[in-house]
Amino acid sequence: MEQERELLVAYGQWRRNDSASAEDRLEQLVDIVAALLSRSVPADSMHLHELGDTGALAMAYEFEGRDFLLALVGRQEPPWGGVLVHAVGAARGALWAVLYWPGEQANEELVHKIGDRGTVLDRAHLEAAVAGLSPLADLVRAALRRRQPHVPLAELLGVDAPAAQQLELTPLARRMAPLPVESKTWAGVTAEVLLVGQSQSGRPRGLTSLPDERVLITCSNGLLEVDTGSGQARWRLLLPGCHGGALVCRDGAVLVMCGSALVRWHEGHLRVVAGAFEEGAVLLPGPDDEPWVLSGFGAAFGVGEGTLALTRAGETVGDQLRYPITFNAAVRSAL
C-alpha cells in the first residue's frame, strides 16, 4: 500500500495547489492518471496526445485488448466543440471519454455536446480511483458501456440497483416454535434474541446503533437499516464490498469502509473520503464523531516492520493524515 499512499499524498498536493497555472496542474494530473492506469494497463501502451490548440491533453492506452483514449480537460470555459473534434481525431476509432477535472461535477455544456459519441467522467470518478475503490481503467470502460454522456459514480457502481435479495426479519415473539440459542457468554453477559431471519451465505460484517430502536447492519451487499421492534428492513446503501460498523454523521450522511476505501453516502450522492487502507481496516469515531481509520498490523514477536497506523480521514480524498504506531502484536480495534 506504500505506493498507493504516496499517490494519495501527490493527489492531495495537486488538489490544494491553487497557485499553480492551469497548464502546470494539467501536467501534474497527467502523472497521476498515468500512475492510475499503469495499475491495469501495460505502461508501453500509454501515449500522450495534444488535442490541437485547445490546451487539453489525452492519454491513449490499451486495456484488455481494446484501445481507449481519455481526454483531460482542464479549462473553465474551453471551446467544447473544438476539444471534442480533436478527441475524435486522436481516438482514431478507439473508445474515448473525457475527464473533466476543474470542478466536483461534470460541466453541463460538455455533457450536452458530447452526446452519444463518448462519455464524461468527473472528479468523483477520479477520486474513487485514487483512493482504491475502483481502478480508473475499469471506471472508464464501465461508463462507456452505458452509452450515456455522463454516469454518476453511484449509478456506475450499482448503488441505485434493486437489491438482489430482500431480507425478512421476524420478532422472536411472533414465532410459533421456540428457538434454541446460546444466550449466556463465558463472561456472564446475557444476550437477548430480538429478530430471526433466513440463513444467509455471508455473515453480517458490522453493526451500528441508531435512534428509535433501529440499527444499521453491514452486509456484503451494503447497509441494511432494520427496525428492531417490527423487523422491517430496507437497504440504506446498496454497495458491494462494505465491511465494519458504519458511522452516522450529524447531517444524516453515512460513512462506511468499502474495500480499501472509506465512502460517504448522503441524499443519493456517493463520494470517496479516504483510501489505501490494508485489508481489515476499521472505521472509528474520533472526537466529535470525526472519522478515523485503524489499519495495518503490528510486527509480531519483533520480526519485520509493522504497518499499524491510525489515520484521520479528513473531509475528502487527499486530506487524510496517517499516524504510524509501533506495537509488536495484532490490534483489532481502538478508541
Side-chain angles (χ1 to χ4, degrees):
M1 286 292 181
E2 189 62 32
Q3 293 182 344
E4 288 80 355
R5 285 193 287 266
E6 290 177 358
L7 185 59
L8 269 172
V9 172
Y11 176 81
Q13 294 173 344
W14 170 82
R15 185 177 55 81
R16 292 187 294 268
N17 188 10
D18 296 330
S19 60
S21 65
E23 291 76 12
D24 290 341
R25 297 198 70 205
L26 180 57
E27 291 181 2
Q28 295 167 6
L29 179 61
V30 167
D31 293 336
I32 294 173
V33 169
L36 291 172
L37 290 175
S38 64
R39 298 173 180 176
S40 306
V41 308
D44 57 1
S45 75
M46 291 188 290
H47 303 282
L48 193 63
H49 298 270
E50 292 185 1
L51 299 183
D53 58 354
T54 64
L57 299 174
M59 181 71 74
Y61 62 92
E62 179 185 344
F63 180 51
E64 296 185 349
R66 303 200 65 175
D67 293 328
F68 292 82
L69 183 131
L70 181 61
L72 312 178
V73 179
R75 290 184 180 177
Q76 296 292 345
E77 297 180 358
W80 297 122
V83 170
L84 300 181
V85 168
H86 286 291
V88 172
R92 298 178 181 178
L95 300 173
W96 62 280
V98 173
L99 174 61
Y100 178 78
W101 56 267
E104 296 296 332
Q105 297 180 348
N107 181 276
E108 293 183 2
E109 182 182 354
L110 174 60
V111 171
H112 175 72
K113 285 187 174 295
I114 200 171
D116 59 357
R117 291 179 291 178
T119 190
V120 180
L121 283 74
D122 54 34
R123 186 80 69 86
H125 300 89
L126 176 62
E127 294 187 344
V130 172
L133 181 63
S134 179
L136 181 59
D138 287 359
L139 290 174
V140 174
R141 179 184 59 183
L144 286 167
R145 282 178 173 174
R146 295 295 188 92
R147 300 185 181 276
Q148 298 177 21
H150 176 65
V151 184
L153 178 64
E155 183 180 343
L156 195 61
L157 296 178
V159 172
D160 293 333
Q165 181 181 13
Q166 295 291 345
L167 301 181
E168 295 183 2
L169 301 172
T170 305
L172 184 62
R174 296 181 186 175
R175 284 180 56 90
M176 300 298 294
L179 182 68
V181 175
E182 190 68 39
S183 60
K184 290 188 176 181
T185 69
W186 62 270
V189 179
T190 301
E192 178 185 357
V193 177
L194 297 178
L195 302 169
V196 180
Q198 298 176 348
S199 177
Q200 303 296 318
S201 58
R203 294 187 177 185
R205 301 181 175 185
L207 181 70
T208 301
S209 178
L210 301 176
D212 302 326
E213 297 184 347
R214 295 174 297 123
V215 294
L216 275 180
I217 301 177
T218 307
C219 307
S220 59
N221 289 334
L223 297 175
L224 187 70
E225 183 174 328
V226 179
D227 186 317
T228 59
S230 65
Q232 293 182 345
R234 69 177 183 90
W235 288 104
R236 179 80 169 262
L237 169 63
L238 192 63
L239 179 64
C242 293
H243 59 91
L247 180 62
V248 182
C249 304
R250 295 176 181 176
D251 61 356
V254 178
L255 297 169
V256 67
M257 298 298 303
C258 183
S260 63
L262 174 62
V263 300
R264 185 179 190 270
W265 173 251
H266 186 48
E267 296 180 348
H269 181 62
L270 179 74
R271 68 178 180 87
V272 184
V273 177
F277 298 111
E278 289 85 356
E279 183 178 356
V282 180
L283 175 62
L284 303 170
D288 297 325
D289 287 335
E290 185 180 24
W292 287 67
V293 177
L294 174 70
S295 63
F297 57 88
F301 306 109
V303 179
E305 296 183 1
T307 59
L308 188 66
L310 273 169
T311 299
R312 185 178 184 181
E315 295 185 358
T316 190
V317 173
D319 287 346
Q320 65 194 64
L321 296 175
R322 185 172 182 269
Y323 299 90
I325 299 173
T326 301
F327 192 75
N328 297 334
V331 177
R332 302 301 182 192
S333 188
L335 58 85

